[in-house]
Amino acid sequence: MSGSLVTKNGKHLVNKISDYQFQIYKEDSRGMNVPVTIFANDLLISKMALDRTLDQAVNVTTLPGVKKHVVVLPDGHEGYGFPVGGVAASDLEEGIISPGGVGYDINCGVRLIRTNLLESDIHSKLKILVDSLFSSIPTGVGSEGAIKLTSSELDDLLIDGAKWSVENGYGIDTDLESCEENGKMKGADPINISTNARKRGSMQLGSLGSGNHFLEIQKVDKIYDEEAANTMGIRKEGEIQILIHCGSRGFGHQVCSDYLRLSEQAMKKYNLNVVDRELACVPNTSVEGESYRKSMFSALNFAWANRQMLTHWTRKTFQRVLQLSEQDLGMELVYDVSHNIAKVERHRVDGEGSRDLVVHRKGATRAFPPGMEQLPVKFRSVGQPVIIPGSMGTASWILLGSPKSMDLSFGSTAHGAGRTMSRSEAKRTHTLDDVKKKLESRGIYVKSLTKNGLIEESPDAYKDVDMVADVSHKVGIATKVVRLVPLGVIKG
């Protein structure tokens, strides 16, 4: 592609800046406060132009207090209000906070667990491992977790996050050091969490859920950066790694729903008008903004506690099936990153110097470079691990945060492959046997609660994750470290 293309509704020209960067220039007549920057190649951006991805990004530029630019990452696709794979930063004092800019699955995220195992160590017991994990970890829409919490226990968990899980016997202290925000977002306060959200949360802790959430047994396919891989405890090709991808379940969904309604009502109070009702927002410093932030932070903590419990049961399953000790297995948490989040960070804005901004990452991963105090000590010399899960049956990637990300993308990169096919289209296109045969032909054993859960997540329903990682690498916002491929998968 050269020159420009037009977005779906025909309103906006997309200008090609380089092979991997595109821009929609700021147009005052359309109410744009800043331009849109898209990191993609020709194929990926042509797919974005087929749905509302780019038009939604332009809509986000019209929100009050948005700074520098709105970013669309290479996995970008249409979402609710904000595009998935989108990043926007608003002024802390004069800007807004938007539930749609975080998303329904608050702190949908992913964690990587390394092991001392090689593929040859588990080959004969792979199916038993997958079946045992499926039995140990509740999956599926509305699935109930293994633990039921009292109201006071839920409050404690919402304040302490993964720390609550570890203190209650579901993990070890070093796990907390390997989580974004140490698995506990300070400032969480469940005081305004609705009864419906509490009910859903108290029943679903310790469950994987459905959709694109999964637990995968993977192996190292190729190492691109040996120094960074060694820092992460990954030594050679063929090593077994575990990837857990899930979020805040129905609890986070209800928090988002509650505050979307509240924001819609409150906009009149603050004389806020948006070009799309899905962009409902409130001033960041308002009573409603503060209430949403405290509740959203509580949902972040729920998700970290949830992933921590799944990690504990995964370790116990491996010990039981393989009859190996914790020390022999060496199942250490490499890192846990959030995908759907909004928090205050300091970034440089052209002509304004460094300032505090509310960074919304909607289907985007933080990708901080070396030297940042927010990173665990062991990663400060190399940069933050970035984990990009592929779609079921395809590769996943470990990248490394780069200094360029701070200037180009508010310290962010892609969060996954990004859908190109709706779930209903996937069901029309594929059969259960078709999907299973394709996975089996690649040597992948899958266990799913429902046939739709498998069909809807067919690998070709997503973009090419290798291409997404390649764009991130070539732009320089996060660089390649390790490519992983799946051996066994459990899904809802």
Side-chain angles (χ1 to χ4, degrees):
M1 193 199 97
S2 60
S4 61
L5 57 79
V6 179
T7 59
K8 185 180 180 183
N9 65 16
K11 286 183 179 178
H12 311 289
L13 281 178
V14 182
N15 302 281
K16 187 168 185 176
I17 308 302
S18 69
D19 286 345
Y20 302 103
Q21 184 173 338
F22 301 79
Q23 194 162 69
I24 300 174
Y25 298 137
K26 174 186 172 185
E27 294 183 57
D28 293 335
S29 62
R30 299 189 187 279
M32 296 174 66
N33 296 311
V34 293
V36 175
T37 300
I38 308 110
F39 297 112
N41 60 18
D42 289 346
L43 178 60
L44 291 173
I45 199 163
S46 68
K47 291 180 182 294
M48 295 178 194
L50 296 176
D51 62 20
R52 295 193 302 152
T53 303
L54 303 177
D55 295 318
Q56 286 183 328
V58 170
N59 290 344
V60 174
T61 70
T62 67
L63 293 174
V66 172
K67 293 294 183 180
K68 194 170 183 176
H69 58 172
V70 170
V71 177
V72 180
L73 296 160
D75 56 339
H77 62 93
E78 182 178 333
Y80 183 94
F82 281 56
V84 178
V87 182
S90 63
D91 186 86
L92 179 62
E93 300 298 330
E94 300 176 3
I96 54 83
I97 190 166
S98 172
V102 174
Y104 280 98
D105 193 2
I106 299 169
N107 195 0
C108 171
V110 62
R111 61 172 44 195
L112 178 71
I113 304 162
R114 55 88 58 202
T115 79
N116 291 335
L117 301 168
L118 296 174
E119 182 182 8
S120 57
D121 295 326
I122 69 164
H123 180 75
S124 63
K125 292 189 176 181
L126 177 64
K127 289 187 177 182
I128 299 173
L129 271 172
V130 172
D131 291 344
S132 297
L133 286 166
F134 189 77
S135 299
S136 301
I137 296 172
T139 62
V141 177
S143 56
E144 294 188 0
I147 291 180
K148 305 299 182 287
L149 301 179
T150 66
S151 180
S152 62
E153 287 172 334
L154 180 60
D155 280 349
D156 290 342
L157 178 144
L158 296 177
I159 292 170
D160 284 338
K163 181 173 178 282
W164 183 94
S165 298
V166 170
E167 289 180 347
N168 282 272
Y170 300 98
I172 52 180
D173 288 340
T174 53
D175 290 339
L176 305 179
E177 299 168 9
S178 297
C179 293
E180 184 175 343
E181 302 295 339
N182 297 119
K184 173 185 175 178
M185 195 72 199
K186 295 177 182 177
D189 187 345
I191 191 169
N192 292 319
I193 299 291
S194 70
T195 301
N196 282 343
R198 287 178 170 277
K199 183 178 179 181
R200 297 177 74 175
S202 64
M203 301 291 285
Q204 292 186 337
L205 179 67
S207 61
L208 187 64
S210 61
N212 65 343
H213 294 164
F214 62 74
L215 187 154
E216 285 192 354
I217 300 172
Q218 303 179 327
K219 71 173 180 179
V220 175
D221 177 60
K222 187 173 181 180
I223 295 175
Y224 291 80
D225 183 337
E226 289 191 3
E227 179 189 359
N230 284 334
T231 303
M232 298 176 196
I234 300 171
R235 312 296 183 205
K236 56 185 176 181
E237 294 172 5
E239 283 184 338
I240 296 299
Q241 314 287 319
I242 314 297
L243 210 60
I244 300 175
H245 179 208
C246 66
S248 51
R249 304 289 284 110
F251 179 83
H253 193 285
Q254 190 63 53
V255 169
C256 181
S257 296
D258 292 342
Y259 279 94
L260 279 170
R261 285 193 295 270
L262 178 65
S263 297
E264 283 187 37
Q265 296 164 4
M267 284 195 300
K268 296 177 183 177
K269 172 181 173 182
Y270 297 106
N271 197 29
L272 288 171
N273 297 297
V274 292
V275 296
D276 180 351
R277 64 183 292 271
E278 294 181 358
L279 293 175
C281 59
V282 291
N284 183 57
T285 56
S286 66
V287 171
E288 295 85 355
E290 185 65 19
S291 178
Y292 169 64
R293 180 166 38 257
K294 289 177 178 178
S295 298
M296 182 258 293
F297 284 1
S298 298
L300 294 173
N301 288 342
F302 184 97
W304 276 313
N306 190 42
R307 288 197 290 275
Q308 183 60 45
M309 299 185 82
L310 301 187
T311 299
H312 172 75
W313 290 318
T314 300
R315 287 168 169 157
K316 294 302 179 186
T317 298
F318 269 70
Q319 289 172 34
R320 185 176 66 253
V321 172
L322 299 179
Q323 292 293 293
L324 292 172
S325 68
E326 290 183 31
Q327 185 175 1
D328 288 336
L329 287 168
M331 295 179 72
E332 300 168 357
L333 178 59
V334 175
Y335 204 61
D336 179 303
V337 289
S338 171
H339 294 160
N340 294 341
I341 194 169
K343 55 184 175 178
V344 177
E345 295 174 359
R346 195 159 186 83
H347 290 275
R348 188 174 64 83
V349 177
D350 297 338
E352 301 180 31
S354 294
R355 59 191 303 156
D356 289 334
L357 304 174
V358 181
V359 180
H360 296 71
R361 292 189 179 95
K362 166 82 167 282
T365 302
R366 194 182 72 175
F368 276 6
M372 300 290 284
E373 64 179 13
Q374 294 91 335
L375 300 183
V377 173
K378 63 182 176 181
F379 293 131
R380 287 182 192 169
S381 63
V382 293
Q384 180 203 310
V386 174
I387 307 160
I388 300 183
S391 56
M392 178 184 64
T394 68
S396 294
W397 283 86
I398 307 171
L399 308 182
L400 201 63
S402 164
K404 280 190 176 182
S405 72
M406 301 305 287
D407 252 353
L408 295 177
S409 59
F410 298 110
S412 311
T413 192
H415 85 305
R419 290 197 79 96
T420 58
M421 185 186 296
S422 69
R423 289 182 167 86
S424 56
E425 185 181 353
K427 285 188 284 190
R428 289 193 301 270
T429 305
H430 298 292
T431 66
L432 180 62
D433 286 344
D434 175 40
V435 175
K436 274 192 168 182
K437 284 178 181 177
K438 285 182 179 178
L439 293 173
E440 287 170 359
S441 70
R442 301 176 191 173
I444 302 166
Y445 178 63
V446 180
K447 191 82 172 178
S448 177
L449 185 66
T450 66
K451 70 174 185 178
N452 284 342
L454 210 56
I455 296 170
E456 292 171 0
E457 298 304 310
S458 175
D460 63 355
Y462 288 82
K463 298 181 176 74
D464 181 345
V465 71
D466 292 338
M467 189 180 294
V468 169
D470 193 57
V471 170
S472 178
H473 180 83
K474 287 178 176 172
V475 170
I477 50 179
T479 56
K480 295 178 182 178
V481 178
V482 174
R483 185 178 189 265
L484 306 167
V485 293
L487 300 173
V489 187
I490 73 165
K491 294 190 68 69

